[in-house]
Amino acid sequence: MCTCHSTITATALFLAAHEGSTGPAWCTMANHFHLNTPLLESVGMSKLVGTTVYLKMENSQPSGSFKIRGIGHLCQQMVRQSKGVVCASGGNAGMAAAYAARKMGVPATIVVPSSSPQLVVQRLQDQGATVKITGKVWDDANAEALRLAETEGLTYVPPFDHPLLWQGHGSMITEVAASLGPGVKPGAVLLSVGGGGLLCGVIQGLKDVGWTDVPIVAMETVGAHCFNAAVKAGRLVTLDDITSEAKCLGAKTVCKKAFEYSQCNELTIISELVTDQQALHAVQTFLDEERVLVEMACGAALAAVYSGLIRRLQDEGLLPTLLGPLLVIVCGGSSVDMEQLTNLKHKLQT
Ligand code: PLV
């Protein structure tokens, strides 16, 4: 069939389903904001782990991280008639909300804590967002975002705790299944946990493709470890403070759904911690070996490979010795550049 004809038909169907015949301009461009990202084999990491390692390159999303999948999906469902959106973020959820809002022609206000580096503020402003700095950590910024939603009538965009986000994030696993082809399935999935949205989204995706028996290694840094604290305590725990430099993992309390999944017998979720030094070392090694710069939040997951943690989990019998391919979610992040990396090196290596 002529591809041009099928494109017009798809667009027409999309418009009819969403807006009638006169939808906004963004509807005619594509029916989602995220890209289908590459799935790359890492020779260096495969050597370390002893099985094929696949990298799902979410760093290459237009907003710099996986967040655009869920936030783009949520915005398409909730933002159509909005005066504007407001999102509280360590940085990347805000980047995704600002990107989606710009594409939809809607104003965006992003509230970040003072711990977010200046380069994040600049990048958010470059996306056309109004940036407000409130409080020390994400939880403080979130209180302000909720207040603005109430008083200014803005649509609140949650960064990690909403079923539409999880549904949107789930698309990354559907893509992995398509890339790997029939009959190939990961031996384990490795990812980072902040507020737990990525974890819930990956589980949603695993459910969608029938892979719920695949174990998940859920990584956090010490000092941004709200999921690990909840798993250990057997209940939701609110951390006193965020002391890790992985600020984008810095929610004080993990979302309820992520905790519920950790208690679910049908899923295997292994919660582990690395130090900031290990996360930073992983960021540097990844830059050298894969030629890609990611932020500390992502380094936490990569450190599980570079620090030998995956091998240890195999030795301890928590992961099988003959492990199938390891799927690493390279969640990305915009809170990093060479200057920020140098600052972190000085701060953490002295
Ligand atoms: N960052 C959120 C929450 O911050 C934000 O506002 O951007 N990797 C990267 C690069 C991230 O930015 C985040 C979340 C995560 C991983 C963890 O994802 P989550 O929060 O869905 O578990 C406080």
Side-chain angles (χ1 to χ4, degrees):
M1 190 205 278
C2 161
T3 49
C4 177
H5 172 74
S6 67
T7 307
I8 290 166
T9 308
T11 305
L13 283 174
F14 182 76
L15 284 175
H18 286 78
E19 292 287 331
S21 56
T22 54
W26 60 269
C27 276
T28 58
M29 290 160 66
N31 60 5
H32 54 68
F33 294 119
H34 66 266
L35 300 179
N36 186 337
T37 54
L39 186 70
L40 303 179
E41 186 182 332
S42 167
V43 172
M45 284 186 160
S46 300
K47 214 160 76 181
L48 283 174
V49 178
T51 186
T52 309
V53 173
Y54 288 112
L55 305 171
K56 184 63 173 159
M57 300 300 281
E58 290 299 295
N59 61 293
S60 58
Q61 289 292 357
S63 71
S65 82
F66 72 96
K67 291 270 178 187
I68 190 61
R69 291 184 184 271
I71 287 180
H73 181 58
L74 180 136
C75 286
Q76 283 180 321
Q77 307 294 314
M78 289 175 51
V79 173
R80 220 160 291 138
Q81 307 295 335
S82 175
K83 254 172 86 175
V85 301
V86 61
C87 177
S89 173
N92 296 306
M95 284 294 290
Y99 177 83
R102 181 166 65 79
K103 293 287 172 188
M104 295 172 84
V106 169
T109 302
I110 311 300
V111 190
V112 297
S114 58
S115 55
S116 292
Q118 176 56 31
L119 85 108
V120 168
V121 174
Q122 186 59 52
R123 284 176 179 172
L124 288 167
Q125 286 169 341
D126 291 346
Q127 285 288 349
T130 301
V131 181
K132 189 160 185 198
I133 303 169
T134 303
K136 187 173 167 248
V137 297
W138 174 82
D139 299 70
D140 307 330
N142 193 43
E144 175 61 6
L146 288 166
R147 192 191 67 77
L148 286 174
E150 185 76 28
T151 56
E152 313 280 317
L154 301 174
T155 305
Y156 173 74
V157 176
F160 52 77
D161 193 3
H162 198 287
L164 286 172
L165 299 179
W166 310 329
Q167 207 182 357
H169 294 337
S171 60
M172 86 182 72
I173 300 298
T174 324
E175 280 173 23
V176 169
S179 300
L180 291 177
V184 188
K185 137 167 145 176
V189 185
L190 174 59
L191 51 74
S192 303
V193 178
L198 177 58
L199 174 63
C200 292
V202 163
I203 293 171
Q204 182 59 55
L206 294 175
K207 285 184 185 177
D208 293 344
V209 301
W211 286 352
T212 45
D213 56 333
V214 175
I216 299 170
V217 182
M219 299 300 301
E220 296 170 286
T221 49
V222 176
H225 55 282
C226 60
F227 181 61
N228 190 265
V231 170
K232 280 190 178 142
R235 61 178 168 80
L236 283 174
V237 169
T238 300
L239 303 177
D240 290 338
D241 196 6
I242 301 300
T243 53
S244 167
E245 290 300 327
K247 298 301 177 196
C248 278
L249 299 186
K252 285 193 195 173
T253 319
V254 78
C255 68
K256 189 161 156 265
K257 188 73 176 175
F259 172 68
E260 284 170 1
Y261 278 140
S262 77
Q263 305 294 298
C264 168
N265 288 334
E266 280 116 67
L267 296 167
T268 305
I269 305 174
I270 304 167
S271 166
E272 292 285 336
L273 302 179
V274 285
T275 62
D276 275 4
Q277 283 79 5
Q278 286 173 313
L280 178 61
H281 179 257
V283 167
Q284 292 175 270
T285 311
F286 197 69
L287 177 59
D288 284 345
E289 294 200 349
E290 310 294 336
R291 306 161 311 283
V292 175
L293 181 58
V294 294
E295 67 170 70
M296 290 282 280
C298 183
L302 305 176
V305 172
Y306 293 129
S307 73
L309 180 92
I310 297 291
R311 283 283 198 178
R312 177 168 67 71
L313 293 175
Q314 289 177 283
D315 293 345
E316 289 172 359
L318 289 166
L319 286 176
T321 317
L322 280 176
L323 187 65
L326 178 68
L327 171 63
V328 181
I329 308 298
V330 182
C331 45
S334 293
S335 306
V336 68
D337 60 7
M338 285 311 286
E339 194 183 333
Q340 178 71 6
L341 192 61
T342 310
N343 292 344
L344 284 168
K345 266 166 77 172
H346 284 134
K347 205 164 179 179
L348 296 173
Q349 290 174 354
T350 47

